[in-house]
Amino acid sequence: MTSVSGADAVILVGGKGTRLRPLTLSAPKPMLPIAGAPFLSHLLSRIRAAGITHVVLGTSYRAEVFEDHFGDGSALGLEIDYVVEEEPLDTGGAIRNVADRLRADDVLIFNGDILSGADLGALVGTHRDSGADVTLHLQRVADPSRFGSVPTDENGRVTAFLEKTPNPPTDQINAGCYVFRREVIESIPAGRPVSVERETFPGLLAAGAHVHGFVDSSYWLDVGTPEAFVRGSADLVRGIAPTSALPGPVGEALRLDDTEVAEDAKVTGGSTLGAGSVVGAGAQVSGSVLFAGARVEDGAVVERSVVGAGARVGAGAVVRGAVLGDGSSVGARCELIDGARVWPDVELPPGSIRFSSDA
């Protein structure tokens, strides 16, 4: 990655993570363990690798959790400032809310739920070379109809911000990472909710400001849903998504301290086994995340799922594409499939939920 000097980073981490419930009932989404470390650790490692050392976290929900974990950032080679939103301010308002903590003329803004392989140095370099007021990281995706699309002209200038449409004119989407000149941040109205996508960016275009696009096709994933969360974790473990915060070598599985895995169990697909977790005889864990102290008992199958801290999957149970909250218990021979969510400390009796009749 190209190195950056003279830039600040701002990470917006104020969301409640409702799409990831019940996991976010106990921790804010950026602090959930993904590939053996809080999600935010992976993003901070990328920022530090790019040569940026001053980071401002814009927090709201469970704000104290971030500072309790990262402190002043010195352990990561960073200086971290914290700004708490008293009222929800949306993306633009959250950016404006941290303006008085900024030191540099160029400010990299990150949404706190994006996993990306973009070259941050090249992004800032494009911003500076083009003389832009704001530069957007634009990601090329196979199905842009699921997102707002952002067309650019032959010089790379953004020409419009388009809402989701069945036939978008470009495969370039807003990837949730921006470089702002500090004066532009200071021009955002203070003290009220402002959306960068619906107000700030269209307003800049209408005023004739230079909004530039940095078009990229590297790794990119919004980890805001359970399906994407487990995929992102597996991609980090297998080295498909870049990070400097993986607490172990890349491979088919990441095992943290004090895990127990039976000799004939199979743990594959970039699965993470949290500290003190147990996988019993003949069990199969694939492409999944087990939080600390989780148990997968004999003969159980766990695929593309998150098993919360201290949760239990009973013998012979099948859990595919599901989320089990902290301390929950799925009884023996139960079968949970795509989309199932079990709330914390809920106990499902043996054989009580099935999607097929072959009990």
Side-chain angles (χ1 to χ4, degrees):
M1 180 155 47
T2 315
S3 187
V4 179
S5 61
D8 287 336
V10 172
I11 309 175
L12 305 180
V13 290
K16 291 187 175 177
T18 52
R19 293 182 296 165
L20 275 173
R21 283 183 181 162
L23 300 175
T24 45
L25 296 175
S26 57
K29 176 170 52 178
M31 295 304 292
L32 289 175
I34 182 169
F39 176 80
L40 199 55
S41 296
H42 298 287
L43 176 53
L44 290 170
S45 82
R46 299 271 300 148
I47 290 169
R48 183 67 188 86
I52 297 170
T53 56
H54 182 227
V55 179
V56 183
L57 292 189
T59 66
S60 175
Y61 173 65
R62 303 288 301 279
E64 70 289 346
V65 176
F66 298 97
E67 190 162 5
D68 287 349
H69 186 86
F70 293 109
D72 63 3
S74 56
L76 302 172
L78 298 169
E79 289 181 78
I80 300 180
D81 282 329
Y82 301 86
V83 178
V84 180
E85 284 178 35
E86 303 303 332
E87 303 281 334
L89 294 171
D90 209 337
T91 46
I95 294 167
R96 178 64 180 85
N97 196 46
V98 306
D100 65 344
R101 303 296 180 92
L102 301 174
R103 306 171 187 168
D105 292 332
D106 296 316
V107 184
L108 260 168
I109 311 286
F110 298 87
N111 283 346
D113 49 10
I114 302 294
L115 195 55
S116 170
D119 185 327
L120 302 179
L123 170 59
V124 175
T126 295
H127 173 74
R128 290 171 173 169
D129 292 346
S130 66
D133 295 298
V134 177
T135 300
L136 281 73
H137 173 204
L138 303 179
Q139 184 75 18
R140 287 201 164 105
V141 296
D143 180 13
S145 66
R146 294 169 45 229
F147 306 91
S149 60
V150 185
T152 48
D153 68 14
E154 65 276 7
N155 298 314
R157 287 184 73 142
V158 170
T159 57
F161 291 89
L162 305 174
E163 296 295 329
K164 294 176 187 176
T165 171
N167 297 297
T170 176
D171 62 355
Q172 299 169 181
I173 66 159
N174 176 358
C177 176
Y178 323 113
V179 189
F180 275 74
R181 285 196 303 111
R182 194 163 71 180
E183 307 91 273
V184 177
I185 292 175
E186 290 166 349
S187 73
I188 296 171
R192 69 168 175 85
V194 179
S195 164
V196 285
E197 300 87 355
R198 290 185 295 277
E199 183 175 343
T200 307
F201 294 152
L204 287 168
L205 281 187
H210 182 169
V211 182
H212 207 78
F214 174 80
V215 182
D216 192 36
S217 53
S218 63
Y219 184 94
W220 184 85
L221 184 67
D222 175 347
V223 298
T225 66
E227 300 81 11
F229 182 86
V230 292
R231 187 162 80 247
S233 183
D235 287 347
L236 286 163
V237 170
R238 292 181 295 170
I240 296 168
T243 179
S244 303
L246 194 71
V250 298
E252 279 294 290
L254 173 67
R255 292 176 58 175
L256 301 187
D257 295 342
D258 302 320
T259 56
E260 294 179 32
V261 179
E263 280 190 24
D264 61 345
K266 292 183 178 177
V267 182
T268 60
S271 294
T272 296
L273 305 185
S277 57
V278 176
V279 180
Q284 299 176 43
V285 177
S286 174
S288 295
V289 181
L290 273 58
F291 288 0
R295 297 182 65 89
V296 177
E297 297 186 349
D298 296 358
V301 175
V302 178
E303 296 177 358
R304 307 184 325 279
S305 296
V306 184
V307 182
R312 182 185 74 93
V313 179
V318 174
V319 177
R320 288 193 175 99
V323 175
L324 309 185
D326 295 349
S328 62
S329 178
V330 175
R333 303 181 314 283
C334 282
E335 185 183 41
L336 302 179
I337 61 173
D338 293 335
R341 302 183 190 218
V342 180
W343 250 239
D345 301 316
V346 168
E347 190 165 333
L348 302 179
S352 60
I353 295 183
R354 295 194 61 80
F355 287 79
S356 61
S357 59
D358 55 349

